Amino acid sequence: MRSDNVKTGMQQAPHRSLFNALGFTEEEMRKPMVGIVSSYNEIVPGHMNLDKIVEAVKLGVAEAGGVPVVFPAIAVCDGIAMGHVGMKYSLVTRDLIADSTECMALAHQFDALVMVPNCDKNVPGLLMAAARINVPTVFVSGGPMLAGRVKGQKRSLSSMFEAVGAHAAGTMSEEDVREFEEKTCPTCGSCSGMYTANSMNCLTEALGMGLRGNGTIPAVYSERIKLAKHAGMAVMEMLRQNICPRDIMTEEAVLNALTVDMALGCSTNSMLHLPAIAHEIGFDFDIAMANEISEKTPNLCHLAPAGPTYMEDLNEAGGVYAVMRELSELGLLNEDCMTVTGKTVGENIKDAANRDPEVIRPLDNPYSKTGGLAVLKGNLAPDGSVVKRSAVVAEMMVHEGPARVFECEEDAIEAIKSGRIVEGDVVVIRYEGPKGGPGMREMLNPTSAIAGMGLGSSVALITDGRFSGASRGASIGHVSPEAAVGGPIALVEEGDIISIDIPNYALNVKVSDEVLAERKAKWQPREPKVNTGYLARYREMVTSGNRGAILEKVKK
């Protein structure tokens, strides 16, 4: 056992004295030591129930013969951080979570790990850490929130942000906004649509790192507690069989996850996190691969904000395994990939069934024959950009309009809410990328304002920042190279015509190469917005969005 390095032999007598201080018995000293990484805190609604999940995991580990030991991971609530300086600190926590978990796990020589995340950055951060540490590891999340109900209709957090935009447009009263405020988020859990947290939790199943139901069983269901106990038992069986994350998170498994992503209609943020996870296993993930997979993968689900169904509905319909079973009929998955169950993907999904063809469309009636995401390239995004095309209305799949250029998110929001953005416009928000932000803020406020103002079917938004999974419409993010490094988005001027062609994966500004070259020659880097603390260090090391905003060594 790896933990023998801190428990066995004369040289480890000082270590054992410290375990005695922890109350370890001699019997426990002879058993495997299983670290349980708890993302519990009292500020994130998706994490407030994780203490219950952790206790259930501990029972499962102990019942299966291990010694559970809990240590923490941080978490930021993207909804609470939205629209102010706090959002600069969201994406950056992914790497803090990975680094700190690596430090704790290797410093204390755990034999196995159970990761207990839930919200946006915890899941990918802990997946990155799992790949680095490479001891038997299982994921069990806190589960999704139940949908709210307002005036007889199911609602989720995206409805809340759009209600604010509707109020600004004068189409919703303050009393109605208050009703949304009180009823949209009725329980603990990750917000109830196919936003980033639920996208990544579903993809743990597709990757093979989570048990069946990890992505979809609601947070308030007792079934979630049972799942947590089984996760504790499963990691002990993995330890016995010596199944480790790099045996599971292979190149083929990542491509399986991307395929499932396309069918589910996941958040564009998955196109930041899958490349970062792939980087940890040595897989050079080119985001353009998404288009090749999308061309042959039907979009089977339209969960909020793309449609009227929610995570609880997907769970009742059969969950991620039911979606994977549909995809297996087309031969789109590598079914030989190993999983945390000790069985292959094919063995896991063979008995899965689609119990609701309105929630999970069958193969002969997909929402579209192509997947939920698209990567657009062109002279405005030579290295790529990402759009959730499953959430784009038909009339905006191809669009041309004048650029309305803003140097930060706040200026764009003010222009949208004051009525200065009109039908046909293309809102360009720049210097919000990984370096420019720094921190690559989510743009849910402006996209929700556009939708709330009734412009969702006539106005596009383009940014080197990113979008919440709650965003919908022609919202194109991750434009790379970003403005802060002199990417073409920095050269766009007010009134330039922007051409968007999602079916043909193209994003261009209708300006000649010569004019762009002249503008580039005059361009000067901007003074950094932040010069101290973690964000300043992050800015120096982070890459563009097309590479997953991974951190690299500073080049001398």
Side-chain angles (χ1 to χ4, degrees):
M1 294 188 297
R2 181 181 294 216
S3 63
D4 285 344
N5 291 328
V6 293
K7 294 189 305 187
T8 303
M10 182 55 65
Q11 291 299 316
Q12 279 66 46
H15 305 68
R16 288 194 297 276
S17 70
L18 293 169
F19 281 110
N20 284 330
L22 291 169
F24 271 52
T25 65
E26 290 186 15
E27 292 82 0
E28 287 175 314
M29 296 285 278
R30 293 192 290 268
K31 294 178 180 179
M33 189 165 65
V34 179
I36 301 173
V37 186
S38 171
S39 303
Y40 168 78
N41 64 44
E42 295 182 343
I43 189 62
V44 183
H47 290 227
M48 62 180 286
N49 65 320
L50 294 189
D51 55 341
K52 306 295 188 298
I53 302 297
V54 166
E55 288 303 312
V57 171
K58 290 171 68 175
L59 286 171
V61 168
E63 185 173 327
V67 179
V69 181
V70 179
F71 65 89
I74 63 169
V76 163
C77 177
D78 278 28
I80 295 174
M82 195 72 64
H84 56 89
V85 68
M87 182 45 69
K88 294 177 184 289
Y89 286 91
S90 172
L91 178 61
V92 305
T93 64
R94 183 190 70 186
D95 298 273
L96 277 175
I97 290 161
D99 292 348
S100 60
T101 302
E102 173 192 356
C103 291
M104 287 293 289
L106 294 179
H108 301 102
Q109 293 290 286
F110 289 101
D111 297 299
L113 297 167
V114 179
M115 306 294 198
V116 187
N118 207 26
C119 289
D120 298 36
K121 310 310 166 301
N122 294 76
V123 185
L126 291 178
L127 284 166
M128 292 162 66
R132 293 181 198 173
I133 300 160
N134 203 38
V135 298
T137 303
V138 174
F139 276 68
V140 57
S141 78
M145 183 184 293
L146 293 180
R149 283 171 172 78
V150 183
K151 300 186 188 305
Q153 290 186 306
K154 285 186 176 181
R155 298 293 188 179
S156 60
L157 186 65
S158 53
S159 308
M160 184 69 254
F161 278 88
E162 290 175 16
V164 175
H167 180 263
T171 59
M172 184 177 288
S173 69
E174 185 174 344
E175 291 76 15
D176 283 342
V177 174
R178 178 62 60 87
E179 184 176 3
F180 271 80
E181 182 181 328
E182 292 175 348
K183 296 180 179 178
T184 295
C185 298
T187 74
C188 63
S190 49
C191 297
S192 56
M194 187 54 79
Y195 309 145
T196 307
N198 292 327
S199 295
M200 294 308 302
N201 280 320
C202 285
L203 294 185
T204 62
E205 293 188 55
L207 279 168
M209 291 297 293
L211 298 176
R212 181 176 188 168
N214 185 52
T216 61
I217 297 171
V220 294
Y221 284 13
S222 298
E223 190 67 24
R224 176 64 57 178
I225 300 296
K226 296 179 184 178
L227 182 74
K229 292 175 183 176
H230 284 133
M233 298 174 195
V235 81
M236 293 303 297
E237 184 58 33
M238 289 177 69
L239 184 59
R240 282 187 278 273
Q241 295 187 42
N242 193 31
I243 299 172
C244 295
R246 287 182 213 159
D247 301 319
I248 296 170
M249 288 193 287
T250 61
E251 181 175 333
E252 293 77 16
V254 172
L255 295 178
N256 276 352
L258 182 55
T259 301
V260 174
D261 184 316
M262 292 295 175
L264 286 171
C266 289
S267 164
T268 51
N269 280 318
S270 64
M271 294 301 291
L272 283 173
H273 302 321
L274 285 176
I277 294 161
H279 177 72
E280 297 293 344
I281 63 168
F283 173 24
D284 187 10
F285 186 105
D286 182 351
I287 62 169
M289 292 187 298
N291 292 341
E292 180 183 346
I293 289 177
S294 179
E295 285 294 334
K296 58 187 179 183
T297 306
N299 178 226
L300 304 180
C301 300
H302 263 192
L303 285 87
T309 54
Y310 295 81
M311 295 305 297
E312 62 203 65
D313 302 312
L314 179 59
N315 187 63
E316 294 301 316
V320 176
Y321 275 23
V323 175
M324 293 175 73
R325 179 61 191 272
E326 293 280 1
L327 297 176
S328 74
E329 297 295 322
L330 292 176
L332 295 177
L333 298 177
N334 185 319
E335 296 186 31
D336 294 327
C337 291
M338 180 52 61
T339 73
V340 293
T341 66
K343 300 177 180 178
T344 64
V345 166
E347 291 173 312
N348 283 345
I349 67 174
K350 66 179 180 178
D351 296 325
N354 181 356
R355 297 194 292 266
D356 190 337
E358 294 302 312
V359 177
I360 303 172
R361 289 278 185 93
L363 296 175
D364 60 0
N365 184 35
Y367 282 100
S368 66
K369 293 182 179 179
T370 52
L373 299 179
V375 173
L376 313 184
K377 290 190 175 185
N379 69 350
L380 188 51
D383 293 339
S385 60
V386 181
V387 62
K388 186 174 181 176
R389 66 173 161 190
S390 61
V392 179
V393 295
E395 52 265 43
M396 290 299 289
M397 296 295 281
V398 177
H399 179 76
E400 285 192 1
R404 305 296 308 278
V405 182
F406 301 94
E407 310 299 318
C408 66
E409 177 189 10
E410 289 83 356
D411 290 349
I413 293 170
E414 193 278 327
I416 295 165
K417 289 187 175 179
S418 65
R420 302 205 313 270
I421 302 301
V422 299
E423 290 187 8
D425 283 349
V426 179
V427 175
V428 177
I429 305 177
R430 61 192 180 192
Y431 293 98
E432 291 285 9
K435 286 183 181 293
M440 202 178 189
R441 288 196 287 180
E442 286 187 343
M443 302 290 153
L444 179 56
N445 271 343
T447 58
S448 298
I450 287 170
M453 297 286 285
L455 298 171
S457 60
S458 61
V459 169
L461 192 153
I462 295 172
T463 181
D464 52 6
R466 61 193 178 94
F467 296 108
S468 163
S471 294
R472 62 187 175 97
S475 304
I476 301 167
H478 310 191
V479 170
S480 301
E482 63 173 293
V485 297
I489 192 172
L491 311 178
V492 175
E493 295 184 358
E494 186 82 6
D496 286 348
I497 300 301
I498 304 292
S499 172
I500 300 165
D501 188 345
I502 295 173
N504 290 304
Y505 307 115
L507 178 63
N508 290 285
V509 55
K510 300 186 85 169
V511 174
S512 69
D513 292 344
E514 291 77 15
V515 170
L516 285 177
E518 289 173 5
R519 294 179 183 178
K520 176 72 175 192
K522 298 176 183 177
W523 178 82
Q524 293 292 325
R526 290 174 174 259
E527 279 295 313
K529 297 176 184 176
V530 178
N531 289 296
T532 60
Y534 180 61
L535 287 179
R537 298 197 300 275
Y538 182 87
R539 184 192 68 231
E540 293 301 315
M541 299 177 69
V542 71
T543 64
S544 270
N546 68 298
R547 297 189 58 201
I550 60 172
L551 302 184
E552 291 189 325
K553 294 178 181 178
V554 178
K555 295 177 181 178
K556 299 296 184 182

